[in-house]
């Protein structure tokens, strides 16, 4: 049979590679850069066809080595490759404003000018510099107790997001430069430099796909890891410079650069669950080409098999297919988790714009790729289709019935602890300076726990004593001679004695004693000679006997359920569960509102008869309350109401912040 003699054969390049301990053949379409894998027989036939096209003297031997069936497979491969070319070069791709690749120019001709720089920065000297920089940053972090980590708490603030929008393209440009220099160092041609538009936001990219055809495995791993190493370099440099700036725009900007470079490397670039640098480095190191594609195809087939009840797709038989499906499922769950974290932080912010951006991101990450890449399923015969839809309608009916028939109680968990500042607090009764104070520990009934000193009271008492003596002498002198003056003297003596009694009472109040045996817990710093006024907190006395009083903040959205009746209460303390009587619960409204959201505050009070206050020191608990039983649809409704309330509350806070 005649061999294929097509100009297409001159546009492909063959290479032998290793994957998973076996040899595979790679074919690259030089016109588009796409790389395909071929069976050994077909690859040999393609090679012989190339020989026949390029060298007429060897054409006869090439023809003899290819049988008719293999030649048909070669024709099929070339036809498929031409179809891919038509799709890539001629067919208009669907417009997706959220994800677009815009190639700008071929970077290959410029690489010869970068060879000197590539030899300088790609090598052992770079790892030495990275190690020294890491040691410097570690020393700086230890000295200031890693103060820069506070920047992570404001990663979704408006200032941080604006900083990211400003510097991210420049950081990504340096990241891509790491790939280019490493590829140049190992003789790999970089095909294209361009801009990738993500959610209408431009980010630079380079195409190093030729590494699959021209580079050794360890060099491919190095090219993939180059961007991550570059991000680490940038992050460490920003970390060091952050410590030499203070209180200005660049100080905040450097902290944000450190955060962005770190998050970008850990959560995305270095993560093998996302098809970025870390994934390519790992699959090259393991020799598992197209691992992500095979995993997603396996999961998609398993999904079709489940939803069609075995009529379509393929089940997960064998540990290899289960492993592939598990990896694909992990990648989906990871993206969902990242989206959930971003949505939780972003949705209520910026007067509703955060919700728009979150929905846009979810559409870009999940909905649009599914709609674009959804395969056209072959026609299914009518009996099988009827059976599948019968099963689906049956399951849907069971789910709807479950929403109304399945019932379980509402429940919530309230963190509780000793009511130290309420039921057990001890306050100062008279003003004075601290003389002595008991330390933390057990005390006996009547033991002095605080002794104050007030020289003003002592002087006042001495003055009143002298005045009282003078008033008594005056009374003795006039009581027989002048009855009116004697009456006035008696009234003055009574007034002075009343004032003296008040001062003596205040002096007595300078000594605080334990009313009962228990544990004394100082709550304020009361060093010697510190002035304390009436009502100042001195500490807490936790009795050894009696019931412990526990309190905790109660969520407002459960107040209506609480008033409807508590069915069961269980307290968890130190890993032990104890049933507590509902009669020991008391819910009261705190006369204050949340300063941010404006929501009312409620406090739940529990009288715990099974332990005393001194036994509950340092042992916070969790009180689980169960309320009325309700069908599943009411639980869904209640959950959705909570989400809406949380969103509205966060929006109010955001509006107040922006207005301020």
């Amino acid at each position: 049979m005649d061999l294929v003699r097509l100009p297409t054969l001159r546009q492909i390049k063959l290479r032998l590679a290793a994957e998973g301990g076996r040899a595979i053949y790679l074919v690259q379409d030089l016109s588009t850069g796409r790389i395909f894998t071929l069976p050994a027989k077909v690859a040999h036939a393609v090679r012989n066809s190339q020989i026949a096209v390029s060298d007429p003297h060897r054409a006869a031997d090439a023809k003899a080595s290819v049988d008719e069936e293999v030649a048909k497979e070669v024709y099929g491969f070339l036809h498929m490759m031409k179809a891919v070319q038509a799709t890539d070069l001629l067919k208009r791709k669907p417009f997706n404003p959220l994800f677009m690749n815009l190639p700008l120019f071929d970077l290959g001709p410029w690489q010869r000018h970068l060879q000197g720089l590539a030899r300088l920065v790609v090598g052992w000297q770079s790892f030495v510099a990275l190690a020294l920089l890491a040691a410097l940053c570690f020393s700086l972090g230890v000295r200031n107790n890693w103060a820069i980590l506070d920047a992570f708490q404001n990663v979704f603030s408006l200032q941080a997001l604006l900083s990211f929008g400003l510097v991210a393209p420049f950081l990504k440009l340096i990241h891509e430069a790491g790939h280019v220099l490493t590829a140049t160092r190992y003789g790999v041609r970089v095909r294209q430099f361009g801009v990738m538009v993500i959610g209408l936001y431009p980010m630079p990219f380079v195409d190093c796909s030729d590494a699959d055809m021209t580079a050794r495995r360890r060099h491919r791993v190095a090219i993939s890891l180059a961007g991550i190493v570059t991000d680490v370099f940038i992050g460490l440099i920003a970390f060091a410079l952050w410590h030499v700036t203070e209180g200005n725009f660049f100080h905040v900007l450097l902290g944000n650069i450190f955060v962005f470079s770190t998050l970008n490397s850990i959560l995305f670039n270095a993560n093998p669950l996302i098809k970025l640098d870390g994934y390519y480095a790992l699959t090259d190191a393991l020799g598992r080409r197209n691992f992500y594609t095979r995993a997603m195809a396996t999961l998609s087939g398993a999904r079709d098999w489940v939803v069609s009840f075995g009529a379509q797709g393929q089940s997960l038989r064998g540990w290899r297919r289960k492993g592939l499906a598990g990896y694909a499922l992990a990648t989906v769950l990871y993206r969902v988790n990242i989206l959930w974290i971003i949505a939780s932080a972003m949705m209520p912010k910026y007067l509703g714009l955060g919700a728009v951006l979150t929905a846009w991101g979810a559409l870009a990450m999940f909905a649009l790729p599914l709609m674009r890449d959804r395969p056209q399923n072959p026609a299914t015969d009518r009996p099988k289709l009827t059976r599948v839809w019968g099963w689906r309608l049956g399951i849907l009916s069971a789910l709807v019935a479950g929403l109304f028939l399945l019932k379980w109680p509402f429940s919530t968990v309230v963190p509780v602890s000793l009511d130290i500042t309420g039921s057990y607090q001890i306050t100062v009764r008279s003003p004075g300076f601290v003389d002595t104070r008991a330390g933390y520990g057990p005390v006996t009934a009547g033991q002095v726990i605080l002794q104050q000193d007030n020289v003003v009271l002592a002087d006042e008492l001495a003055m009143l004593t002298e005045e009282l003596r003078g008033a008594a002498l005056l009374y003795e002198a006039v009581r027989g001679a002048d009855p009116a003056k004697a009456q006035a003297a008696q009234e003055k003596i009574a007034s002075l004695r009343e004032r003296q009694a008040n001062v003596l009472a205040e002096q007595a109040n300078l000594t605080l004693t334990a009313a009962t045996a228990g544990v004394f817990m100082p709550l304020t710093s009361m060093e010697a000679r510190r002035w304390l006024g009436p009502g100042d907190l001195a500490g807490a006395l936790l009795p050894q006997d009696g019931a412990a009083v526990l309190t905790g903040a109660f969520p407002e959205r459960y107040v209506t359920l609480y008033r409807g009746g508590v069915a069961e209460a269980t307290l968890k303390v130190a890993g032990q569960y104890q049933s507590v009587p509902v009669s020991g619960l008391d819910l009261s409204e705190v006369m204050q509102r949340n300063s941010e959201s404006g929501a009312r505050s409620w406090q739940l009070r529990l009288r715990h008869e099974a332990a005393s206050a001194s036994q509950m020191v340092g042992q916070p608990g969790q009180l689980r309350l169960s309320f009325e039983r309700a069908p599943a649809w009411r639980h869904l409704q209640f959950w959705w109401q909570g989400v809406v309330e949380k969103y509205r509350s966060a929006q109010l806070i955001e509006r107040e912040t922006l207005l301020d």
Side-chain angles (χ1 to χ4, degrees), residues 253-265:
L253 181 62
L254 289 169
N256 289 332
I257 290 176
F258 168 72
V259 172
F260 298 146
S261 296
T262 305
L263 289 178
N264 184 54
S265 294

Side-chain angles (χ1 to χ4, degrees), residues 149-450:
L149 296 181
D150 292 338
F152 282 92
Q153 299 177 1
N154 299 319
V155 67
F156 291 112
S157 67
L158 184 59
Q159 185 183 38
L161 293 176
L162 291 176
S163 299
F164 174 77
L166 179 66
V167 304
F170 298 100
L171 295 178
K172 191 66 166 60
L173 193 63
I174 300 174
H175 172 98
E176 298 302 321
H179 290 303
V180 173
L181 291 176
T182 308
T184 303
R185 176 68 175 82
Y186 296 123
V188 174
R189 183 180 184 274
V190 181
R191 295 182 60 87
Q192 290 178 343
F193 172 83
V195 175
M196 177 172 54
V197 179
I198 306 175
L200 299 181
Y201 189 77
M203 298 290 281
F205 77 92
V206 294
D207 181 3
C208 298
S209 60
D210 275 13
D212 286 333
M213 301 298 296
T214 60
R216 301 171 64 180
R217 178 186 296 182
R218 62 187 180 91
H219 293 165
R220 295 197 303 270
V221 173
I223 293 172
S224 297
L225 294 178
I228 300 173
V229 174
T230 303
D231 287 340
V232 173
F233 255 116
I234 297 299
L236 293 180
I237 291 173
F239 185 96
L241 294 178
W242 184 84
H243 290 80
V244 298
T245 58
E246 187 82 26
N248 53 33
F249 170 76
F250 292 103
H251 183 76
V252 177
L253 181 62
L254 289 169
N256 289 332
I257 290 176
F258 168 72
V259 172
F260 298 146
S261 296
T262 305
L263 289 178
N264 184 54
S265 294
I266 295 176
L267 297 180
F268 299 103
N269 268 330
N271 194 331
L273 294 178
I274 299 179
K275 202 174 179 183
L276 293 174
D277 296 341
Y279 162 81
Y280 289 112
L282 180 63
T283 54
D284 264 327
L286 298 178
R288 300 294 180 183
R289 190 179 303 272
N290 295 328
F291 184 76
Y292 181 90
T293 303
R294 293 202 301 268
M296 295 305 294
T298 303
L299 181 63
S300 178
R303 179 201 62 198
D304 293 341
W305 184 80
V306 171
V307 299
S308 66
F309 301 97
Q312 300 171 1
Q314 190 173 1
S315 64
L316 297 177
R317 294 181 179 178
W319 65 268
R320 188 181 299 274
R321 290 183 59 81
K322 291 178 181 178
L324 288 171
Y327 171 81
L329 183 60
T331 63
V332 174
L333 294 178
Y334 183 79
R335 283 185 292 169
V336 170
N337 183 54
I338 291 296
L339 182 63
W340 176 258
I341 293 174
I342 295 175
S344 300
M346 288 288 295
M347 280 191 66
K349 290 183 175 291
Y350 317 126
L351 303 181
L353 182 60
V356 176
L357 294 176
T358 301
W360 198 357
L363 184 68
M365 292 176 66
F366 298 100
L368 288 181
L370 289 177
M371 290 187 294
R372 181 190 60 196
D373 302 331
R374 185 176 182 179
Q376 296 295 327
N377 295 326
T380 308
D381 56 70
R382 178 64 59 181
K384 185 180 293 186
L385 187 62
T386 302
R387 178 171 63 88
V388 169
W389 277 104
W391 275 102
R392 291 177 178 176
L393 290 175
I395 292 178
L396 180 61
S397 301
L399 291 175
V400 173
L403 289 176
F404 290 90
L405 299 179
L406 294 179
K407 293 184 177 182
W408 66 88
F410 288 100
S411 64
T412 186
V413 176
V414 180
V416 293
S417 59
L418 277 173
D419 187 24
I420 292 176
T421 58
S423 302
Y424 303 110
Q425 70 174 1
I426 299 175
T427 58
V428 174
R429 293 178 291 181
S430 293
F433 293 97
V434 175
D435 188 11
T436 59
R437 186 210 65 182
Y440 176 83
V443 294
T444 59
Q447 180 178 337
V448 176
I449 56 179
L450 176 64

Side-chain angles (χ1 to χ4, degrees), residues 54 103 453:
S54 60
D453 181 26

Side-chain angles (χ1 to χ4, degrees), residues 559-576:
V559 170
T560 303
L561 294 174
Y562 180 91
R563 289 172 174 170
V566 179
E568 184 180 6
T570 304
L571 179 65
K572 177 185 177 183
V573 178
Q576 301 294 324

